[in-house]
Amino acid sequence: MQLIKPDTNFDFVGKRKLALIVSAVLILVGLVSLVVKGGPDYGIDFAGGTLVQVQFSEDTDPAAIKKALSGIELGSLVVQSFGDNQNEFLIRVENSSAELQGLSDQIEKALESTYKDGSVDIRRVEMVGPQVGKDLRSKGLQAILYAMLGILVYISWRFEFRFAVGAILALAHDVLITLGAFSVFGKEIDLPIIAAFLAIIGYSLNDTIIVYDRIRENLGRHHKENFSFIVNRSVNETLSRTLLTSGTTLLVVLALFVLGGGVIHNFAFAMLVGVLVGTYSSIFVASPVLIFWEQRKKASASS
């Protein structure tokens, strides 16, 4: 099945400077947001503390819940709506103390003393010590860095070093934009999001490898043509496959995002952004880097 005719010739290479500006703006917006907010908004997994998911059978709001909990020494307290049920909330306590055990019981008793009997349903409790959260955060970052290092070695072995550089820059581009989107939209980063980042890296790399394979094939077939022509032709020849793969993946991820519920909402959001950006980067980041490398090589040889 082909969505794009084989003889289609969109000028992707000619738009690479515009794409560079778009990518730079998106990354800059994300970095500014991270700086303004003092870094990513870490979830309980990484920040440590206690998270309680609670559902009420009567109407309430975050302000009323905070007032009901005012008699407990909880330190930093965040209450936010959760899921589609307007009376379901997440209570997050960033407690730096190691004595987290029993804190959820105190929260439950405080709420039951304010609301009607049987109207408070504690649905989930998660507790992570601050040292454990710090260790998980460090290992999550290491997982992403090791994945990129392994990819650099693999592509250098399978193709050439210039291809590996293009792939790594495209992957870094995808992760930075996704991370920036989380900061801009105020979403938390926890262990499932690290899994999403690794999935995004794998998805984007797969798309990039397809384009790179076609470029390598066309270097032999069209060796008399200039390199920019070969890259643009290769992108066009794989465009139908790229759109089919990305389109079907997006349908699944969009269904998870809309219908999956609050538990996997952030994971689905990361995948949604990652698939879109990963498809874009395979065309407008990974491939143009090869052209830039070739131009620099020729300039160095002529000077």
Side-chain angles (χ1 to χ4, degrees):
M1 179 179 179
Q2 287 189 328
L3 295 177
I4 308 295
K5 294 181 180 179
D7 58 347
T8 300
N9 188 31
F10 294 113
D11 187 17
F12 293 111
V13 167
K15 303 294 189 298
R16 66 183 184 276
K17 291 183 179 179
L18 176 61
L20 175 63
I21 294 173
V22 171
S23 295
V25 169
L26 290 175
I27 291 173
L28 184 60
V29 168
L31 291 177
V32 168
S33 177
L34 286 168
V35 171
V36 170
K37 295 182 178 180
D41 184 11
Y42 291 117
I44 292 296
D45 292 339
F46 294 151
T50 302
L51 181 142
V52 180
Q53 180 182 339
V54 56
Q55 184 174 356
F56 297 87
S57 59
E58 59 182 280
D59 291 339
T60 187
D61 57 66
I65 295 172
K66 283 186 176 182
K67 185 177 179 180
L69 297 174
S70 60
I72 311 175
E73 293 295 332
L74 296 175
S76 179
L77 174 67
V78 176
V79 180
Q80 62 188 81
S81 298
F82 181 78
D84 299 327
N85 190 330
Q86 63 178 355
N87 289 320
E88 191 167 359
F89 298 87
L90 286 181
I91 300 171
R92 176 179 169 182
V93 181
E94 295 181 1
N95 196 323
S96 59
S97 170
E99 297 297 328
L100 295 172
Q101 194 69 34
L103 194 58
S104 60
D105 294 333
Q106 296 179 42
I107 292 174
E108 184 175 6
K109 289 178 181 178
L111 292 175
E112 289 178 343
S113 66
T114 302
Y115 293 91
K116 297 176 183 178
D117 291 339
S119 65
V120 180
D121 178 20
I122 303 296
R123 312 197 73 182
R124 174 169 56 117
V125 178
E126 295 179 5
M127 292 180 289
V128 177
Q131 190 59 42
V132 174
K134 183 179 179 181
D135 186 53
L136 289 173
R137 188 166 68 240
S138 174
K139 288 182 177 178
L141 180 60
Q142 288 176 19
I144 294 175
L145 292 178
Y146 289 155
M148 288 193 172
L149 181 61
I151 288 166
L152 181 67
V153 173
Y154 167 72
I155 299 182
S156 297
W157 168 72
R158 179 173 173 181
F159 294 93
E160 299 173 27
F161 182 69
R162 59 175 176 171
F163 286 86
V165 172
I168 291 298
L169 288 177
L171 296 179
H173 166 277
D174 300 343
V175 171
L176 284 173
I177 290 182
T178 306
L179 181 63
F182 264 71
S183 180
V184 170
F185 290 99
K187 295 185 176 296
E188 292 183 348
I189 295 178
D190 49 20
L191 280 176
I193 303 308
I194 297 298
F197 282 158
L198 292 172
I200 289 166
I201 288 173
Y203 179 88
S204 180
L205 177 65
N206 178 66
D207 210 21
T208 300
I209 289 294
I210 297 297
V211 177
Y212 278 180
D213 259 332
R214 188 56 59 89
I215 291 174
R216 185 169 58 177
E217 291 174 7
N218 285 336
L219 280 172
R221 294 175 185 170
H222 309 284
H223 58 275
K224 294 182 179 180
E225 301 287 350
N226 65 62
F227 191 69
S228 295
F229 171 86
I230 292 173
V231 170
N232 198 69
R233 184 181 181 91
S234 301
V235 172
N236 275 281
E237 287 177 352
T238 56
L239 188 60
S240 181
R241 181 263 177 204
T242 297
L243 292 179
L244 280 170
T245 305
S246 300
T248 51
T249 306
L250 275 175
L251 287 175
V252 175
V253 174
L254 187 61
L256 285 175
F257 181 72
V258 176
L259 305 173
V263 175
I264 62 169
H265 184 80
N266 285 355
F267 177 87
F269 176 79
M271 291 300 299
L272 192 62
V273 175
V275 169
L276 289 171
V277 176
T279 304
Y280 165 88
S281 69
S282 298
I283 298 172
F284 289 110
V285 178
S287 300
V289 166
L290 298 180
I291 297 174
F292 174 76
W293 187 288
E294 187 71 15
Q295 290 174 342
R296 293 279 295 182
K297 183 179 177 182
K298 287 183 178 179
S300 298
S302 62
S303 60

